[in-house]
Amino acid sequence: MRPIALLLAGALGAISPVQAGLMDILESMGSPAPQPQRLVPRVPPMPRGEGRGKNWVGTVVPSKQMPILVMAGHADSQRMHGSGTPGRAVDLGGAAPMQAGITDELYWNLLTAKAVVAEGQRQGLNIRFYDPGVRTIRNEEDPRTNWAVGYDHAARGGYVLEIHYDAYAPHGVGPGVIPAVAFGFSVLDEALAKEFGAYPYHYRGILGAPRGGSRCSRSANLKACWKQACGIRLAGSPPLSRSPAVW
């Protein structure tokens, strides 16, 4: 999505981390600070209360040339637990998926992640897209998984963003950023949270991706995002492979 790329492109800046917008932060960062070859993960403790509100503050300031890795959520977990939402049309309406063999969420995660990277590169960011190329990886130790590649990138001082879409009601929780917790809360996460909203860092007991240094950007459900992006009334709209009228 263009807004995410533009936010990242302008967010590397030397201003007050908590109040910085993503555009400001990315623009005025200083030279890269010396980094150890591998950072040591430090996962914060679980808070006592359940809570659904934001309970973290991004203060870690990255360098201007920090490498950014963007991935599509669920790209390696199709046809198994954790494959992403199929969408209302497929799950309840019996519609065919947008692409055979993958959930509708992954279909849009992939398109969105690639669009974010393309726009980010146009903005001059050191940004790239990773796709494992295998849609079902059951071995958690496989180095091709999103988690393994994301952790390696984050441990070397990079920034990892995993794109997701929210499930349809009543299963969906809403849009927002789930921050990476392994190497400190970033000012980039803080700025993304101001734009899209935020989840508590311990959402679902601290998810695997945040524990591994990847933050998850959960956009609104597929129907809402499509409606916002295209500016059209979905019900009765012309089909795109199939009509996304009921996600």
Side-chain angles (χ1 to χ4, degrees):
M1 277 186 185
R2 183 178 176 85
I4 295 177
L6 290 176
L7 283 170
L8 288 172
L12 294 170
I15 47 183
S16 174
V18 175
Q19 312 210 343
L22 217 43
M23 301 287 293
D24 303 316
I25 299 170
L26 281 169
E27 265 182 6
S28 43
M29 302 286 289
S31 300
Q35 293 284 348
Q37 187 174 3
R38 302 281 294 187
L39 300 176
V40 177
R42 292 183 175 85
V43 177
M46 287 287 292
R48 292 183 179 179
E50 287 294 326
R52 297 302 297 271
K54 183 173 179 287
N55 61 351
W56 53 275
V57 177
T59 58
V60 177
V61 181
S63 70
K64 187 174 182 179
Q65 294 304 315
M66 174 193 61
I68 300 171
L69 179 67
V70 180
M71 303 186 293
H74 311 294
D76 55 8
S77 59
Q78 297 301 290
R79 298 178 294 278
M80 57 185 286
H81 178 71
S83 60
T85 178
R88 182 188 295 272
V90 175
D91 212 20
L92 301 181
M98 296 296 290
Q99 180 177 323
I102 66 174
T103 61
D104 275 12
E105 183 188 352
L106 175 56
Y107 178 88
W108 292 106
N109 289 349
L110 287 164
L111 289 183
T112 303
K114 291 175 183 177
V116 167
V117 170
E119 180 61 33
Q121 290 174 344
R122 281 192 287 270
Q123 297 293 327
L125 292 178
N126 181 9
I127 186 171
R128 67 182 178 90
F129 170 68
Y130 172 72
D131 187 340
V134 179
R135 292 289 171 251
T136 306
I137 302 178
R138 300 185 185 278
N139 180 6
E140 295 181 355
E141 303 301 320
D142 193 310
R144 298 171 297 175
T145 64
N146 274 7
W147 192 95
V149 173
Y151 179 81
D152 182 72
H153 187 83
R156 295 179 187 276
Y159 185 85
V160 186
L161 177 66
E162 192 171 271
I163 301 295
H164 289 263
Y165 278 87
D166 200 22
Y168 59 89
H171 306 291
V173 178
V177 174
I178 305 172
V181 303
F183 306 108
F185 300 120
S186 170
V187 294
L188 298 183
D189 292 351
E190 187 70 42
L192 282 171
K194 288 182 179 180
E195 183 71 20
F196 299 107
Y199 281 69
Y201 74 80
H202 67 296
Y203 178 66
R204 291 185 179 174
I206 306 182
L207 295 170
R211 285 180 182 271
S214 301
R215 66 273 309 136
C216 298
S217 172
R218 291 172 65 105
S219 298
N221 64 60
L222 297 173
K223 178 180 177 181
C225 287
W226 180 270
K227 192 172 184 180
Q228 182 180 27
C230 299
I232 60 174
R233 179 176 176 270
L234 296 181
S237 62
L240 176 69
S241 298
R242 66 168 173 76
S243 173
V246 187
W247 258 312

